[in-house]
Amino acid sequence: MLGGGGGVVAGLRRLAMVSQEVAAEPGRRAKTGMLAGCLRELGPAEASAAVVLLSGESQRLRTGVGPAALRDLPEPAVAASLGVREVEQELERIAGVRGAGAQAERRRLLHGLFARATDVEQGFLRAVLVGDLRQGALDAVVGDAVAQAAGVPAAAVRRALMFRGSARAVAEAALTGGEQALAAFRLEVGRAVRPMLAASAPDVSSALERTGPAALEWKLDGIRVQVHRDGDEVAVFTRSLDDITARVPEVAEAALALPLRSAVLDGEAIALGPDGRPRPFQETAARTASRQAPERLRAEVPLSAYFFDLLHRDGEDLVDRPGRERWAALADAVPQGLRVARTETGDREQALAFFRDTLARGHEGVLVKDPAAGYAAGRRGIGWIKVKPRLTLDLVVLAAEWGSGRRRGFLSNLHLGARAAGEPGLGPWVMLGKTFKGLTDATLAWQTGELLARETERDDWTVRVRPELVVEIAFDGLQRSTRYPAGLALRFARVVRYRPDKSAAEADTVATVREIAAAVGL
């Protein structure tokens, strides 16, 4: 099947070579075809491991291997001998090293792996380990490649990923059992599903033009939570599917107080002041991130839970029901004090009045939701649209420049990028501009440490980093630009805050930027 070593022996070399070809190919359809051909050639066992490496799922192993550990490695092997599944197992082994001497043992295992890798394989492994595969092969592209390789509808793979979350498990099912095996993946109480995401619009009128008559909700400046209840057992997950149940006892108690046997609820956890207005986002984020003394922190920064969707109720899945049916079930099961405020209207003046009232209460904006839309987990679509009083984007830091003056010694001027999301010739990240504005001394110190930990290369002035840190950027508008690949640049960009609750895969796309530009007639 594979030249040279035969079987799966040279599987990693084949995968590494295809990865290079995909990186050089601008078209998403062609990328998908290349990956699909490779997956078919590798066979189910190797292909499922390949999906882990290509989709970035290997990053969730938390191997503890950073750029510094990759600077002094053995010379490349002459002949290919590594299988893809074998490499995945070695990475799992490295990730499992704990305790005294862990760093030395991880280094030993890493050197052993790289000593067996050829030059092209070493380059691929480096990119995998630091999250820098420059091929645009994110979950969506890899998922479509799995569907093509297995001969199943792409929608069936996307739906399975929504419920299972694991690219490896879904690939195995698709490649060995086809569409029937994928249909077995369903919503399970206790297993987090990928949350539905919202697109952006510059104003309420623009959002209503897309949805028609809609529900408008407060957009709370809190932490997205997905709450699963099964009898007396409750699990609380973040938008990145991390289990934070022990850190947010108030949220678990709120779910247990509901007149339900089982449920999956979508909502927000937020810290409010005595006047009911939201406290700074950083307080909510710090509270939900801390693993220490939850009861003490609860007394200092109490959280309130607010729910806006119901995906499962007492044995019945609602995820495919229209929004209006899910919301009716939510209103029947959850008291008003635990629900996000909502109004339904198609009248622009009424919608604008609700928007203004929401802002007056201290919230960051509104969500405009199509009552007919199903729950499109893990995807942005026109079913949900967020509107804020200022233009903001969630972008990824691609690099940073050393500061001068009082900022000397700190990484200051940020290079900001959006996801290309399959646009030909642009991926995977597209720079939109730079900013050093809005940074406090504390943020400067924090971001310098975080960026240096993600360093991939540097010159005298600029440090390039793995595209992992998401930062919310406010800006006054967009302008045409020949300097940046998308032809657009941010005007008067400034940092609002970092978003540790969001992964790079959730950053805004170039398509969203183009929509904003079109809405303002650019």
Side-chain angles (χ1 to χ4, degrees):
M1 178 175 64
L2 296 172
V8 299
V9 174
L12 183 67
R13 180 175 177 81
R14 174 66 177 134
L15 181 62
M17 293 176 67
V18 169
S19 178
Q20 285 186 342
E21 294 169 4
V22 169
E25 170 56 52
R28 174 167 173 163
R29 182 175 297 180
K31 287 178 185 286
T32 300
M34 290 175 180
L35 290 172
C38 180
L39 296 179
R40 281 193 296 264
E41 188 176 344
L42 289 172
E46 289 282 278
S48 59
V51 164
V52 171
L53 301 182
L54 290 170
S55 68
E57 193 162 295
S58 58
Q59 288 293 297
R60 297 172 199 146
L61 292 173
R62 304 183 189 279
T63 58
V65 176
L70 299 172
R71 289 174 183 157
D72 180 24
L73 292 169
E75 291 296 315
V78 176
S81 65
L82 286 168
V84 186
R85 175 60 180 143
E86 179 184 9
V87 169
E88 183 196 17
Q89 290 171 334
E90 283 300 304
L91 295 181
E92 290 172 344
R93 187 178 174 192
I94 292 170
V97 175
R98 298 287 187 274
Q103 184 173 351
E105 177 62 7
R106 279 196 296 267
R107 181 179 177 83
R108 185 187 72 80
L109 293 172
L110 185 69
H111 277 235
L113 176 61
F114 270 76
R116 297 180 55 201
T118 63
D119 184 55
V120 67
E121 291 170 333
Q122 284 195 357
F124 177 74
L125 288 174
R126 283 192 183 92
V128 167
L129 286 166
V130 300
D132 195 33
L133 275 180
R134 298 184 180 277
Q135 57 186 25
L138 300 173
D139 282 357
V141 178
V142 176
D144 287 351
V146 168
Q148 192 175 122
V152 300
V157 171
R158 288 195 292 266
R159 182 175 176 79
L161 279 170
M162 172 178 81
F163 290 134
R164 184 62 176 85
S166 166
R168 177 185 232 295
V170 170
E172 284 181 343
L175 293 166
T176 59
E179 194 170 359
Q180 183 176 357
L182 291 174
F185 292 109
R186 303 189 62 81
L187 190 150
E188 299 177 40
V189 178
R191 184 191 294 278
V193 302
R194 297 182 181 185
M196 184 168 177
L197 306 175
S200 299
D203 53 55
V204 171
S205 294
S206 299
L208 287 175
E209 285 177 5
R210 298 193 215 174
T211 62
L216 280 77
E217 295 176 352
W218 290 352
K219 188 179 188 307
L220 303 180
D221 197 13
I223 294 292
R224 184 83 172 265
V225 290
Q226 186 180 120
V227 183
H228 291 237
R229 177 180 169 185
D230 186 5
D232 293 332
E233 299 293 324
V234 172
V236 182
F237 301 97
T238 64
R239 64 184 295 144
S240 56
L241 311 188
D242 294 321
D243 189 330
I244 59 167
T245 311
R247 305 180 213 169
V248 290
E250 307 100 310
V251 177
E253 290 168 7
L256 285 170
L258 298 175
L260 298 166
R261 298 189 309 277
S262 64
V264 176
L265 296 135
D266 198 356
E268 294 265 334
I270 185 171
L272 302 175
D275 58 355
R277 296 175 67 84
R279 295 168 71 163
F281 172 79
Q282 289 79 1
E283 294 187 27
T284 298
R287 165 64 205 281
T288 55
S290 178
R291 300 174 183 272
Q292 300 179 350
E295 290 303 326
R296 175 179 62 80
L297 292 175
R298 175 179 183 171
E300 295 173 356
V301 185
L303 295 175
S304 297
Y306 291 93
F307 301 110
F308 50 73
D309 221 320
L310 183 61
L311 310 185
H312 175 94
R313 178 184 181 185
D314 291 341
E316 181 182 11
D317 290 345
L318 307 175
V319 70
D320 291 324
R321 300 282 187 86
R324 62 171 61 89
E325 294 184 24
R326 301 195 310 275
W327 305 332
L330 179 75
D332 187 52
V334 178
Q336 185 174 359
L338 289 176
R339 300 198 310 270
V340 173
R342 173 187 289 121
T343 189
E344 295 194 28
T345 183
D347 183 86
R348 295 184 183 184
E349 289 304 318
Q350 291 180 9
L352 185 57
F354 182 84
F355 177 67
R356 289 170 176 161
D357 179 69
T358 301
L359 298 182
R361 295 172 184 270
H363 303 302
E364 66 171 353
V366 297
L367 284 161
V368 181
K369 298 184 175 181
D370 181 354
Y375 193 90
R379 294 161 52 201
R380 296 184 194 274
I382 62 170
W384 291 6
I385 302 173
K386 59 186 175 184
V387 181
K388 298 181 182 181
R390 57 186 171 183
L391 293 170
T392 66
L393 289 167
D394 291 327
L395 302 176
V396 168
V397 180
L398 304 177
E401 299 169 7
W402 291 106
S404 58
R406 71 177 186 86
R407 293 189 175 190
R408 184 175 300 277
F410 295 100
L411 288 171
S412 176
N413 202 18
L414 302 176
H415 296 204
L416 304 167
R419 288 190 296 121
E423 290 206 14
L426 291 184
W429 301 100
V430 182
M431 190 168 168
L432 295 172
K434 305 178 184 180
T435 189
F436 55 82
K437 297 179 180 179
L439 297 168
T440 65
D441 290 346
T443 302
L444 276 170
W446 177 86
Q447 79 178 18
T448 298
E450 292 293 323
L451 292 171
L452 288 176
R454 292 166 170 81
E455 179 182 346
T456 58
E457 58 179 309
R458 68 166 70 188
D459 55 29
D460 291 341
W461 192 249
T462 304
V463 175
R464 291 171 180 79
V465 299
R466 300 195 305 274
E468 295 177 352
L469 291 181
V470 178
V471 61
E472 184 177 353
I473 298 294
F475 57 104
D476 290 351
L478 295 163
Q479 61 188 18
R480 294 291 180 187
S481 171
T482 58
R483 182 177 182 183
Y484 296 119
L488 295 168
L490 304 176
R491 295 183 66 244
F492 304 112
R494 55 206 178 274
V495 172
V496 177
R497 56 180 171 170
Y498 276 89
R499 295 300 304 259
D501 58 318
K502 289 192 173 184
S503 69
E506 296 173 289
D508 282 310
T509 65
V510 174
T512 295
V513 179
R514 295 197 195 284
E515 288 176 7
I516 294 173
V520 297
L522 192 62

